[in-house]
Amino acid sequence: MADLPFDPIALLNKSQKIALGVAGEAFDALIGVGKTAVQPEEAIRQLSALVAAVGDLAAASVNPLQDFIAKQREIADTMANLATVQADLAGLVETLAHRHAAIVESLENITAPVFGLVARDDADS
């Protein structure tokens, strides 16, 4: 999150506080309008502010979640690609191991007569 120009959690927390404050004010204004019906413009202003705050809260909540989901998808795709590359590498190492075993067997076949002679000469000495 260090590369983000803002802290989404702090933005979410701030938006929630603002939305709760505006919601409380709008609710109080609606109760006041219901009792007196003298200030309908104030009630409309409060409701407009509430709608704006709720919109900001929704944006602050959704954007970080969308970013998080997009990053998780990137990680999943990267892990799938890594698994494919590792499977290819495992196949290559298996082939290399078989070839190395064949080379060792060939070396054993070539050196067996020489080692046999050396062992016989040592026994004769």
Side-chain angles (χ1 to χ4, degrees), residues 22 25-26 29-30 33 39-52:
V22 173
E25 290 173 16
L30 285 175
V33 168
Q39 298 175 331
E41 295 86 17
E42 180 62 19
I44 291 171
R45 186 192 71 72
Q46 291 285 337
L47 285 175
S48 297
L50 175 63
V51 168

Side-chain angles (χ1 to χ4, degrees), residues 31-92:
I31 290 174
V33 168
K35 290 179 181 177
T36 62
V38 177
Q39 298 175 331
E41 295 86 17
E42 180 62 19
I44 291 171
R45 186 192 71 72
Q46 291 285 337
L47 285 175
S48 297
L50 175 63
V51 168
V54 169
D56 291 345
L57 176 62
S61 300
V62 171
N63 288 340
L65 286 175
Q66 286 176 331
D67 291 343
F68 178 74
I69 290 169
K71 295 298 182 189
Q72 292 303 309
R73 172 58 52 209
E74 288 177 20
I75 290 171
D77 292 343
T78 301
M79 287 190 309
N81 290 338
L82 179 60
T84 301
V85 170
Q86 285 180 330
D88 292 345
L89 180 60
L92 182 63

Side-chain angles (χ1 to χ4, degrees), residues 114-125:
V114 174
F115 289 151
L117 287 175
V118 171
R120 199 173 3 173
D121 285 344
D122 285 343
D124 290 341
S125 303

